[in-house]
Amino acid sequence: MEEQVKDTEITTLTDIPTGSSCIISKVHGHGGFRHRIMEMGFIKGEKVDVIKNAPLMDPIEYSIMGSHVSLRRSEADKIEVVALEEGFHPDFDFNGTIEAHVAREVENSAKTITVALVGNPNCGKTSFFNLATGLREKVGNYSGVTVSSKVGTFYHDGYTINLVDLPGTYSLTEYSPEELYVRDYLLNHHPDLVLNIVDAGNLERNMYLTTQLIDMNPRLVMALNMYDELEKSGDKLDVESLEKMLGFPIVPVVARTGRGVGDVLEKIVRIYRDEEGYTKHIHINYGENVEDCISSVKKLIDADQSLRDRYHGRYLALELIQGDKVITKSIESVPAFPQIKEAADSARARLEKEYRGDIADIVSDIRYGFIRGALKETLTPAKEDKRNLAYALDTVLTNKYLGFPLLVIFLWVMFQTTFTLGAYPQQWLESGIAALGRWIGGLLPEGMLNDLLVDGIISGVGGVLVFLPNIIILFMFISFLEDTGYMARAAFIMDKLMHRIGLHGKSFIPYIIGFGCGVPAIMATRTLENPKDRILTILTIPFMSCSARLPVYLLFVAAFFSRNQGLVLMSLYAIGILFAILTSLLLNKTVFKNASDQFVMELPPYRFPTVRNILVHMWDKSVLYLKKMATVILAASVIIWALGYFPRPKTEMTPAQQAEQSYIGRIGHAIEPVVKPLGFDWRMGVSLATGLAAKEVVVSSLGVLYDAQEVEGDDGTAGLQAKLQSVTDENGNAFFSPLKAYTFLLFILLYFPCIAAISAIAKEAGRKWAAFSVVYTTGLAWIVSFIFWHVGLLL
């Protein structure tokens, strides 16, 4: 099976210019529109000539099968075509006379199936995607991992299948970015099929989304994922009866092992070919009163052809009756909109009066009633509910008294192991890099090239590369916490504290992700429905110590703190969280009103993660880290070396004097008045400035800038730790001390995020908040470091 990531370019009938011709390859749409358009001759293989546009560019006149037909652009946009070269006008009979390359292109288009993966968070949708396509999307046992779509292409039974992994969502309403994103994709991108991934162990809750898909009326296939867990629970499901009841194929699947995935792909192809005899569209019966209201609004909708072309009439009527603002706004330009809206508003008022409740509650209750009825007919529960065993650990891990201490212990173990276990491969890498530097230095004659390779590239990039093992170990722990389901428990444990500072418990998950990298953490805030919660979380994520800061931490902790290194490291993470809390409190009292959403979050059953998922996660992060080595950090190291190497002195100078007279020395001395009150010298100031590119570059900068102070370490290597320990001031005393080292680490912890994180903040929250983040964090870093340094000197 071949796979790739692909963003497919699709040509529709609206793209063909006047006077040109094309061949129809596929017709999208549903219900009456699809039948009407095909009855008019718009079927696969037919030639279409574009005659002219109306004076206002809509509709467009076409010639097909000897007749002239006009289509609105909204209709023509649902017809995929293959454009013909100018002057190519054979007699088109798809069975024989179409030119070979055109026939092949039409057939390829017709044999390309776009499948939208839709399901609840934590239903195993992304696991299915990964297994089917071979791609490596992140899998997490908590909601909100996928915050945008990803397309994987693979081949089955002669068909090209584009699987589109959409964000996990509990419904298709207007209350979160995920819901709107998924609904917009289904309504406007016309996938050929929808694959509804459902957690077999939680059918009632998961199938609520299924009922909304049924109302929307796409072609559906359901994959009952984690079916092995349903079997182990002792429950028995009559799959055949359920699929006949719902009107579409249902396939038991265990995406984790691959069981049933091939069967799902086979069903997709058969549905696409219209081979499944029992496939039919059903209507969920909402009861006489609701059905009367739906019918009255649907009549007005069906009278407008543009609405019939865009929406399934029954679905649109139900959404308008429920008062969906986004859907309502999308049809405001329709001439009959005032009458349709009036009818929908009247129907809503009538139903709320009759049922004495909110319309959304009325519809939800009826949908759950439909689900319970279907499951009562097909699901036989076990006498003993074994599913509760999956939550048994919660009696300890989320205990009122034990939950928080255990969370702290888990985090301490993570940081201590990252430091101690990673120290061994770190030493091996450091020795290897030092040996490489000596070998290259001896191989080449002295001169600029020798200095660039040894002092610039090997010293700069190598100084950061040695921390790769620590990064891998940290991401192994984060992946384990995510995949087991404990990450959601961490949010549950922290919710009360988070709520007191004006944040949502869900904000804790982006914070934990932020320990890995701030960019995906900032993107993960899309799972927060309240805009205030999102912006507050985004602005406080930079205080989480990302893996890019870890090399700086490890360097100084190893060099200047011989004991309790794990605790020193953990204290930096804790201080970051503390300042995130204080910042949130400050903004809540000044910029935002102190109001937050109620905490609603799924606690998934505990699952033991697969070794494959953890290894894939570690590998992906390692590749990203290595790519950063080969791009940002390599370029920064060369630039810093060049600034330190030039201009070349005309007279004999010591290395220290040359560094001070170089361009980077001049920049450093310009910065020094700002950082000197913190106990820093010009080299430290320059290294902090270079951290804008990436925080790892701080280590590269230190490696280049202090290279003149090189000494031999205990293991015979010219390690940067030994260099920093040997630096002296003008009086010959050690320049660095534990106090100065920790002050420097505090500044690294608190000051502005890297350029990638700043860009992510600008994208998610706006440029104003990105600028605020840079100014606020840097100012805070200076004030805190200043106080800590001077209080430390007094003590």
Side-chain angles (χ1 to χ4, degrees), residues 340-362:
I340 294 172
K341 187 176 186 304
E342 183 181 354
D345 292 344
S346 175
R348 186 185 321 115
R350 171 191 161 189
L351 291 173
E352 290 184 339
K353 182 178 179 181
E354 289 175 353
Y355 285 90
R356 296 180 182 178
D358 181 75
I359 185 65
D361 295 338
I362 296 166

Side-chain angles (χ1 to χ4, degrees), residues 11 34 46 52 65 88 114 223 235 268 409 483 505 507 534-535 547 576 700 702 706 730 737 792:
T11 302
R34 184 178 170 84
E46 282 299 323
K52 64 176 178 292
M65 290 186 175
F88 182 63
T114 300
D235 292 353
I268 287 172
I409 290 171
D483 293 354
S507 298
R534 289 193 66 219
I535 292 175
S547 60
S700 302
L702 292 170
Y706 283 107
E730 60 272 11
S737 64

Side-chain angles (χ1 to χ4, degrees), residues 640-659:
I640 293 163
W641 171 85
L643 290 172
Y645 192 81
F646 297 104
R648 298 308 296 160
K650 295 179 180 178
T651 59
E652 191 73 23
M653 285 187 181
T654 65
Q657 290 172 328
Q658 156 58 19

Side-chain angles (χ1 to χ4, degrees), residues 58 234 292 409 456 616 628 723 757 783:
D58 199 12
D292 285 345
I409 290 171
V616 163
K628 194 185 278 190
K723 296 177 190 178
I783 293 169

Side-chain angles (χ1 to χ4, degrees), residues 441-700:
L443 192 66
L444 297 173
E446 289 188 7
M448 187 171 70
L449 179 61
N450 187 311
D451 292 340
L452 170 63
L453 291 175
V454 177
D455 301 331
I457 295 175
I458 295 176
S459 177
V461 177
V464 182
L465 184 63
V466 296
F467 298 105
L468 178 62
N470 307 89
I471 302 293
I472 292 174
I473 294 169
L474 177 65
F475 276 111
M476 178 192 73
F477 273 99
I478 291 176
S479 180
F480 183 82
L481 292 176
E482 290 173 348
D483 293 354
T484 56
Y486 184 71
M487 194 73 85
R489 271 72 184 180
F492 175 78
I493 292 166
M494 294 297 294
D495 177 61
K496 188 172 183 179
L497 174 61
M498 303 293 282
H499 192 73
R500 283 181 176 175
I501 64 173
L503 282 174
H504 198 289
K506 284 185 181 180
S507 298
F508 192 68
I509 290 176
Y511 283 173
I512 295 292
I513 297 173
F515 289 156
C517 180
V519 175
I522 290 164
M523 294 175 66
T525 59
R526 295 178 190 174
T527 60
L528 297 165
E529 291 84 359
N530 188 314
K532 186 217 73 172
D533 287 338
R534 289 193 66 219
I535 292 175
L536 269 180
T537 306
I538 286 170
L539 293 178
T540 50
I541 280 173
F543 294 117
M544 301 303 107
S545 294
C546 64
S547 60
R549 290 182 172 98
L550 188 59
V552 191
Y553 294 172
L554 295 174
L555 172 66
F556 279 87
V557 170
F560 301 105
F561 298 92
S562 58
R563 289 185 294 181
N564 300 318
Q565 293 174 327
L567 285 174
V568 173
L569 185 62
M570 186 177 174
S571 71
L572 292 165
Y573 286 79
I575 290 170
I577 294 172
L578 173 63
F579 276 100
I581 292 170
L582 294 175
T583 298
S584 179
L585 288 170
L586 175 66
L587 292 176
N588 260 311
K589 291 183 181 296
T590 55
V591 180
F592 298 104
K593 293 181 180 178
N594 194 10
S596 182
D597 287 346
Q598 295 298 311
F599 180 76
V600 179
M601 184 173 183
E602 179 186 4
L603 293 178
Y606 289 99
R607 296 188 176 101
F608 199 81
T610 63
V611 175
R612 178 185 180 275
N613 279 344
I614 291 179
L615 291 178
V616 163
H617 190 201
M618 291 165 58
W619 169 252
D620 288 347
K621 296 301 178 184
S622 302
V623 169
L624 288 175
Y625 193 74
L626 290 171
K627 283 181 179 177
K628 194 185 278 190
M629 298 295 106
T631 53
V632 175
I633 293 168
L634 174 61
S637 297
V638 171
I639 291 169
I640 293 163
W641 171 85
L643 290 172
Y645 192 81
F646 297 104
R648 298 308 296 160
K650 295 179 180 178
T651 59
E652 191 73 23
M653 285 187 181
T654 65
Q657 290 172 328
Q658 156 58 19
E660 209 159 342
Q661 295 299 319
S662 67
Y663 292 127
I664 202 164
R666 297 171 191 178
I667 295 171
H669 282 295
I671 295 173
E672 193 170 32
V674 178
V675 299
K676 194 168 185 179
L678 312 179
F680 305 162
D681 69 351
W682 65 269
R683 295 178 181 86
M684 298 169 74
V686 169
S687 66
L688 289 171
T690 61
L692 179 63
K695 291 299 176 282
E696 299 99 331
V697 177
V698 173
V699 175
S700 302

